[in-house]
Amino acid sequence: MEQQLDIQDKEQQKLNNYRSFINATLEIIEEGGLSKVSIRKIADRAGFHNSTIYLYFEDLDQLIMLASMKYFQEYSHNLELQSQKNLPPTENFITIWELFIDTILQQPCIFYNFFFGKRSDNLHDIMTMYYNLFPEERDQFSDEIEKMYFGKDLFERSLNLLKTIVDEDNLVTQDNLVMINEITVTYCEYKMLKKCQHPELETEKLRDEILSVIYYVTGV
């Protein structure tokens, strides 16, 4: 029994260390932005030696991605509420895109890095790891939204959502599905980067521009 408790204590300490590093990273991001984050600063903030971080994380980019998940809390909660409404496919499609655009334009640089940066090719692994470390933040989604939310990258996430409106009264078909998805995501990427580079740009205007393209290419 004593040995079992010792193992449990060690596992809990390991979990606490993971969380400490992620929370320290988040604090530095909030204070100075992504450019101010470094292994040394994170280790100092969390109270560890620099080398200790590599016992827990592959590199700085992985740590930044995990810390960035904190910015999904409101979006994730809104998606949970969305899951409970059982809206028609087209209305659900537009509402989810609206929630997403509102979220990413609040922190464009953070979300640009998350969806198009160095480690953006497998978001599923990052999100799974994060929610294993912070299970209390895990919301419950419908199967449809779950599949979209945990897609491996933004293209897959968007495609999963777009598939829900095939055969509805719009322009989306099995033949043009991938093309419409690429246009949508690429335009969203362009506007996100533009907002990141020029923070003074009006958020509401960018939001309307992204939505107008989605309406146009999908015909919803």
Side-chain angles (χ1 to χ4, degrees):
M1 178 67 71
E2 185 176 338
Q3 184 179 8
Q4 184 178 1
L5 288 174
D6 186 51
I7 293 174
Q8 290 176 347
D9 288 343
K10 288 181 179 178
E11 287 301 312
Q12 185 60 50
Q13 185 59 56
K14 186 177 180 180
L15 175 62
N16 292 342
N17 291 347
Y18 269 111
R19 291 183 172 188
S20 294
F21 284 128
I22 292 171
N23 288 330
T25 305
L26 179 65
E27 289 174 8
I28 296 168
I29 291 173
E30 292 184 333
E31 290 170 6
L34 293 174
S35 63
K36 299 299 181 182
V37 183
S38 69
I39 290 293
R40 180 185 59 77
K41 287 181 180 178
I42 295 168
D44 288 346
R45 182 72 60 100
F48 291 89
H49 187 272
N50 295 4
S51 61
T52 308
I53 289 180
Y54 295 103
L55 299 176
Y56 293 84
F57 306 97
E58 294 178 19
D59 54 25
L60 178 61
D61 294 292
Q62 184 188 36
L63 192 41
I64 288 174
M65 291 288 278
L66 290 163
S68 298
M69 281 295 300
K70 293 286 186 180
Y71 292 95
F72 279 92
Q73 287 181 350
E74 183 179 355
Y75 174 64
S76 176
H77 180 62
N78 285 333
L79 283 182
E80 180 180 31
L81 296 177
Q82 187 72 9
S83 292
Q84 300 168 9
K85 294 179 180 178
N86 294 316
L87 295 175
T90 299
E91 187 177 350
N92 192 55
F93 171 82
I94 289 299
T95 303
I96 290 175
W97 262 111
E98 288 175 341
L99 291 173
F100 179 73
I101 294 166
D102 288 341
T103 301
I104 62 174
L105 291 180
Q106 290 176 23
Q107 298 286 348
C109 296
I110 289 169
F111 285 111
Y112 185 85
N113 178 72
F114 190 86
F115 287 112
F116 301 105
K118 182 179 178 180
R119 281 189 167 267
S120 61
D121 60 337
N122 201 338
L123 302 179
H124 181 272
D125 287 354
I126 292 291
M127 298 177 80
T128 299
M129 181 178 179
Y130 179 82
Y131 286 124
N132 284 338
L133 295 171
F134 298 92
E136 69 279 6
E137 295 182 18
R138 177 79 153 82
D139 289 300
Q140 299 301 312
F141 310 125
S142 64
D143 291 343
E144 183 180 275
I145 292 180
E146 176 95 4
K147 187 176 181 182
M148 179 278 296
Y149 188 66
F150 283 94
K152 73 180 184 68
D153 55 29
L154 188 55
F155 283 93
E156 181 175 288
R157 291 160 68 107
S158 176
L159 187 64
N160 288 338
L161 182 59
L162 192 60
K163 286 177 180 177
T164 65
I165 62 169
V166 172
D167 297 328
E168 296 292 311
D169 185 19
N170 55 52
L171 301 176
V172 185
T173 68
Q174 290 292 347
D175 291 336
N176 65 20
L177 188 66
V178 173
M179 179 185 67
I180 288 177
N181 187 58
E182 289 180 349
I183 291 171
T184 303
V185 175
T186 302
Y187 189 75
C188 186
E189 176 187 4
Y190 165 67
K191 289 297 184 181
M192 201 190 311
L193 180 59
K194 200 168 182 180
K195 177 65 173 175
C196 184
Q197 294 172 335
H198 305 281
E200 72 280 3
L201 290 174
E202 186 181 342
T203 299
E204 193 65 27
K205 185 173 183 295
L206 291 174
R207 177 187 188 274
D208 291 344
E209 288 171 349
I210 297 172
L211 284 173
S212 67
V213 167
I214 294 172
Y215 277 113
Y216 182 78
V217 298
T218 61
V220 298

